[in-house]
């Protein structure tokens, strides 16, 4: 899938999952086990210029970071709403991942889950900052 970004025409998104010919999910793949911290500028550019996409995934093959446009429409949030590591799977996220499957995909439901997960992660992060021994 081609994402024309300003003067950078012809940039290719690694994967675009489309429904009815319109991209719904954009996926940017990095090298296996590459650190993904601060490495989302490319998917950020693609996401912000591709109409209809509401989910972006940044992956290094083991860790998958899921982003959306909860804060502002058609503008990828700077923080992921979900992180899934296949080497340390969180079974609580299986139900959320299933919502992204072809047979269960519903963008409204996915966006509602993304918003809930984003705020849950923020609360847990705040709790850990205040008290590192906090378990939720």
């Amino acid at each position: 899938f081609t994402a024309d970004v300003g003067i950078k025409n012809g940039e290719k998104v690694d994967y675009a999952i489309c429904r009815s010919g319109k991209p719904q999910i954009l996926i940017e793949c990095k090298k296996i086990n590459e650190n993904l911290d601060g490495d989302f500028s490319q998917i950020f550019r693609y996401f912000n210029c591709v109409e209809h996409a509401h989910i972006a995934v940044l992956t290094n093959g083991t860790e998958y970071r899921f982003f959306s446009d909860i804060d502002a429409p058609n503008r990828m949030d700077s923080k992921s709403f979900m992180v899934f590591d296949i080497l340390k799977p969180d079974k609580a996220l299986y139900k959320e991942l299933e919502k992204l499957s072809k047979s269960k995909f519903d963008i409204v439901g996915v966006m509602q889950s993304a918003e809930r997960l984003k705020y849950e992660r923020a609360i847990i992060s705040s709790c850990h900052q205040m008290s590192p021994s906090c378990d939720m």
Side-chain angles (χ1 to χ4, degrees):
F1 187 82
T2 302
D4 291 332
V5 184
I7 60 170
K8 291 188 172 197
N9 290 328
E11 282 200 298
K12 301 286 186 187
V13 176
D14 289 332
Y15 295 94
I17 299 175
C18 300
R19 174 168 269 173
S20 302
K22 297 177 182 172
Q24 304 289 302
I25 302 173
L26 303 178
I27 303 171
E28 177 64 26
C29 303
K30 299 298 181 185
K31 292 179 183 174
I32 190 81
N33 297 324
E34 183 176 324
N35 186 336
L36 299 177
D37 291 336
D39 194 11
F40 63 90
S41 62
Q42 196 172 10
I43 191 72
F44 184 84
R45 285 194 321 269
Y46 297 155
F47 188 93
N48 294 339
C49 77
V50 175
E51 194 177 352
H52 304 293
H54 293 285
I55 304 293
V57 182
L58 177 63
T59 183
N60 60 11
T62 57
E63 182 180 325
Y64 293 78
R65 295 184 184 185
F66 295 82
F67 297 86
S68 190
D69 58 350
I70 297 165
D71 295 335
N74 297 101
R75 184 153 181 85
M76 191 177 97
D77 298 338
S78 61
K79 294 190 183 219
S80 61
F81 67 84
M82 180 170 64
V83 176
F84 188 78
D85 188 332
I86 62 172
L87 300 178
K88 297 177 264 172
D90 179 351
K91 292 181 182 178
L93 296 178
Y94 287 0
K95 187 175 175 183
E96 304 303 333
L97 290 169
E98 185 178 21
K99 292 175 185 175
L100 294 166
S101 68
K102 184 177 181 178
S103 63
K104 306 255 176 160
F105 187 77
D106 167 37
I107 193 61
V108 173
V110 170
M111 294 300 291
Q112 289 171 344
S113 292
E115 188 168 16
R116 179 181 48 76
L117 288 167
K118 178 181 178 177
Y119 293 117
E120 283 177 5
R121 287 188 70 201
I123 291 168
I124 291 168
S125 177
S126 294
C127 177
H128 283 286
Q129 288 176 357
M130 292 186 307
S131 174
S133 63
C134 175
D135 282 330
M136 294 184 86

